[in-house]
């Protein structure tokens, strides 16, 4: 069945560092891919998404490109801020999952000033 | 428009009691999903309701149940509480799959944090 694998955290970076959080997926169909973010004490919110191969989702300085050849959707940001400290979840949905979101385990990001 | 509202935000119960959590979805959304989030297990899917019918179910014991009303509001109930049920319970709403408006995006509430003593 479908699955999502994220790099384990926590990931600790200094402010203004470059961020990459790896996400790879397994799916038999053509899934839509998502990154959600959960700030401390809050629910999850959609950060960005991509619905087909080579699409690039972007929001708040974060980007992720849907790479079908490597089945990846890595999250990147050029210069992180303390306010980016949160847990980041990669997820997919497609017809095989009955459009239920299949979630990665989440990666905690800690940004130090 | 108003977001997903979950009540109560915090509650403390003792083992053996039961609890009911409520979720009001975004207006127009017909699908409501429930998740349990714990530090050890991460985000785990409980069940999804669409138009008052349970459409999908995760791997949780029968002590966990839910329902959805005609106005799309949903409740989940946990009976005979155990210490391990302490968690953040998240509700998420969406238009629902196979509808033209469906973008695949879930809209989450802030959660109900349950502590079982």
């Amino acid at each position: 069945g479908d699955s999502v694998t994220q790099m384990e955290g926590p990931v600790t970076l200094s402010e203004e560092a470059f961020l990459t959080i790896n996400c790879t997926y397994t799916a038999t169909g053509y899934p839509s891919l998502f990154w959600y973010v959960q700030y401390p004490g809050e629910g999850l919110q959609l950060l960005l998404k991509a619905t087909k191969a080579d699409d690039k989702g972007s929001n708040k300085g974060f980007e992720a490109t849907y790479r079908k050849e490597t089945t990846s959707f890595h999250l990147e940001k050029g210069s992180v801020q303390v306010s980016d400290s949160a847990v980041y979840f990669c997820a997919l949905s497609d017809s095989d999952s009955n459009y239920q979101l299949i979630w990665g385990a989440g990666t905690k990001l800690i940004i130090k000033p | 428009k108003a977001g997903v509202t979950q009540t109560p935000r915090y509650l403390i119960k003792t083992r053996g009691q039961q609890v009911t959590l409520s979720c009001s979805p975004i207006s127009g959304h017909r699908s409501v999903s429930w998740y349990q989030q714990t530090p050890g297990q991460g985000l785990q899917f409980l069940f999804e309701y669409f138009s008052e019918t349970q459409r999908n179910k995760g791997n949780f014991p029968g002590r966990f149940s839910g329902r959805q009303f005609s106005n799309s509001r949903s409740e989940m109930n946990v009976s005979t509480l155990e210490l391990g049920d302490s968690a953040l319970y998240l509700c998420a709403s969406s238009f629902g799959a196979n509808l033209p408006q469906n973008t695949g995006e879930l809209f989450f509430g802030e959660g109900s944090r349950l502590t079982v003593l």
Side-chain angles (χ1 to χ4, degrees):
Chain A
D2 294 353
S3 66
V4 175
T5 303
Q6 284 182 241
M7 63 189 294
E8 288 191 23
V11 173
T12 304
L13 295 172
S14 298
E15 207 166 18
E16 300 184 1
F18 184 87
L19 168 71
T20 300
I21 299 179
N22 290 337
C23 171
T24 57
Y25 68 89
T26 301
T28 54
Y30 297 90
S32 295
L33 301 173
F34 305 83
W35 277 101
Y36 280 78
V37 59
Q38 184 179 30
Y39 297 105
E42 299 183 11
L44 282 72
Q45 57 186 271
L46 180 67
L47 181 59
L48 52 84
K49 70 175 185 180
T51 58
K52 61 183 187 296
D54 299 326
D55 267 3
K56 178 184 284 188
S58 61
N59 187 24
K60 299 182 180 180
F62 290 88
E63 293 183 340
T65 301
Y66 188 142
R67 301 286 188 200
K68 191 161 179 62
E69 64 275 14
T70 54
T71 61
S72 65
F73 193 53
H74 303 324
L75 182 68
E76 297 181 334
K77 187 176 185 182
S79 177
V80 293
Q81 305 300 315
V82 172
S83 58
D84 294 325
S85 298
V87 181
Y88 293 81
F89 293 89
C90 184
L92 69 82
S93 77
D94 66 4
S95 57
D96 287 353
S97 67
N98 200 25
Y99 298 102
Q100 289 300 308
L101 281 172
I102 306 298
W103 297 89
T107 302
K108 184 173 184 177
L109 175 65
I110 301 170
I111 306 300
K112 296 188 174 181
Chain B
K1 56 184 177 182
V4 177
T5 303
Q6 290 189 246
T7 57
R9 290 291 314 279
Y10 303 91
L11 64 166
I12 300 173
K13 295 285 187 178
T14 56
R15 281 182 298 175
Q17 287 187 311
Q18 74 159 9
V19 66
T20 299
L21 308 178
S22 178
C23 172
S24 294
I26 290 173
S27 178
H29 285 186
R30 291 164 61 187
S31 171
V32 173
S33 300
W34 288 90
Y35 291 84
Q36 182 195 64
Q37 186 177 28
T38 59
Q41 298 296 319
L43 196 63
Q44 294 189 286
F45 173 71
L46 281 155
F47 29 66
E48 183 224 358
Y49 287 86
F50 180 80
S51 293
E52 301 180 66
T53 300
Q54 187 181 86
R55 192 163 62 170
N56 290 287
K57 189 177 187 302
N59 189 27
F60 276 81
R63 299 185 297 106
F64 292 81
S65 63
R67 59 178 176 169
Q68 186 180 34
F69 302 95
S70 58
N71 61 359
S72 293
R73 190 178 70 86
S74 178
E75 289 181 347
M76 67 162 284
N77 184 79
V78 187
S79 62
T80 319
L81 284 166
E82 300 176 0
L83 295 179
D85 298 333
S86 295
L88 180 67
Y89 290 88
L90 292 166
C91 165
S93 77
S94 70
F95 287 109
N98 300 324
L99 294 177
Q101 310 96 308
N102 180 43
T103 62
E105 177 180 0
L106 291 182
F107 295 81
F108 283 82
E110 293 183 309
S112 293
R113 183 165 296 280
L114 170 65
T115 301
V116 182
L117 302 176

